[in-house]
Amino acid sequence: MTSTLTAAPLASLLENLFTQADAATSSALVGLSEQECERLMHSKTEYLDFYGRLKDLWLPVSRETGALLYMLARSSQAHHIIEFGTSFGISTLHLAAALRDNGGGSLIGSEFESGKVRRARENISAAGLADLVEIREGDAMLTLASGLPDMIDLLLLDGAKALYSDILSLVESRLRPGALIIADNADHSPQYLAYVRAPENGYLSVPFGKDVELSIRLA
C-alpha cells in the first residue's frame, strides 16, 4: 500500500527538491563571524534582515524530519496545521500529504521572502496539494495573528528561532488538547525550550532526534 508521500508525483518531486537543497550554495554568510551570526539569529529586531540575507538558502528539514512530520500528522489525524517558516515548501509537502491521507483539511504557512513563497507555491501545485495549503507572505507575527482555525491540531516551528515563543503565544489559545508542536533546531531558542519544558505551562516536551523538540499540549 502506498501513501501520497510515497507515490507519484510527490515522491519524485521531494527527492528532486532534497537533491537541489543538498547542492545549494550561498555567499550570504561570507564575512559574518560566528558570533555575529549567533547574535542575529537570536535577535527579535533584526531577524527580517538576517533571514533576508539567507533568501537563496533552502534551510529545509532533513529527510528524517520530513518523514517524522508526515507520521505525526497522520497518526494524530491532524486536519488543521499551522507552519511557521515555509521556505521552499519541503516540510509543507510532507504535512500536506498527511492531510490528504487524513481525508482533507488545511495548512496555513507563513514565509516573508517573496521568492521562496513563489517557489513553494509552485512545488505545492506540482504535487497536486494546492487545495490544502495557504501560504501567507509576510512577517509571521502579522500573518499568523488572525484568520486561523478555531482548533489547531499541529504546529510546526521552523522559521526565525528568536520568534518561536512569540509564534506559540499567537496560536496557543487555539491548540486543542493533544495538539502536537514540532520545533526544528529548537536548541537555538532556549526561551522556547524553557517554556514548553516547564510542566506548569501545560505541555509535555522532549528532545526528539538530534534537531527536533517534540511537545504535546496537555489541556
Side-chain angles (χ1 to χ4, degrees):
M1 179 179 294
T2 60
S3 69
T4 300
L5 186 68
T6 58
L10 183 54
S12 58
L13 173 62
L14 279 172
E15 184 56 37
N16 183 44
L17 292 175
F18 275 123
T19 299
Q20 290 182 59
D22 291 342
T25 60
S26 173
S27 60
L29 302 181
V30 172
L32 286 180
S33 67
E34 182 177 343
Q35 293 78 9
E36 180 66 1
C37 285
E38 281 293 311
R39 186 190 71 79
L40 290 170
M41 184 179 294
H42 291 89
S43 172
K44 290 193 176 186
T45 59
E46 298 177 80
Y47 61 90
L48 290 176
D49 174 65
F50 179 61
Y51 284 92
R53 298 187 192 190
L54 307 182
K55 63 182 180 180
D56 296 324
L57 288 177
W58 284 62
L59 305 174
V61 296
S62 67
R63 287 171 168 80
E64 294 77 14
T65 300
L68 176 66
L69 292 174
Y70 174 85
M71 293 165 66
L72 290 172
R74 278 301 310 276
S75 62
S76 65
Q77 282 295 301
H79 291 285
H80 298 290
I81 297 174
I82 304 299
E83 178 185 44
F84 167 51
T86 298
S87 192
F88 289 98
I90 288 179
S91 55
T92 317
L93 291 169
H94 286 85
L95 291 169
L99 288 179
R100 178 71 80 214
D101 294 339
N102 285 345
S106 66
L107 186 158
I108 297 173
S110 182
E111 172 61 49
F112 78 89
E113 177 54 49
S114 60
K116 288 186 173 181
V117 171
R118 184 181 67 256
R119 286 288 304 277
R121 287 172 176 164
E122 290 172 354
N123 293 332
I124 293 162
S125 179
L129 298 169
D131 59 306
L132 301 170
V133 180
E134 174 191 357
I135 305 299
R136 299 181 179 178
E137 182 176 344
D139 187 339
M141 292 300 297
L142 301 175
T143 64
L144 298 182
S146 62
L148 301 182
D150 291 335
M151 297 290 283
I152 295 170
D153 302 307
L154 187 149
L155 169 65
L156 172 61
L157 299 172
D158 194 22
K161 313 311 172 192
L163 297 186
Y164 278 13
S165 296
D166 300 270
I167 298 298
L168 179 60
S169 294
L170 279 181
V171 306
E172 190 169 47
S173 64
R174 298 174 182 270
L175 294 173
R176 68 165 174 83
L180 297 174
I181 305 96
I182 303 102
D184 200 34
N185 303 123
D187 54 325
H188 292 295
S189 187
Q191 180 184 7
Y192 169 81
L193 289 179
Y195 183 80
V196 295
R197 290 177 180 177
E200 63 270 20
N201 292 324
Y203 298 92
L204 181 63
S205 189
V206 294
F208 192 93
K210 63 181 180 179
D211 58 359
V212 170
E213 181 79 7
L214 177 59
S215 312
I216 186 170
R217 182 67 168 162
L218 297 177

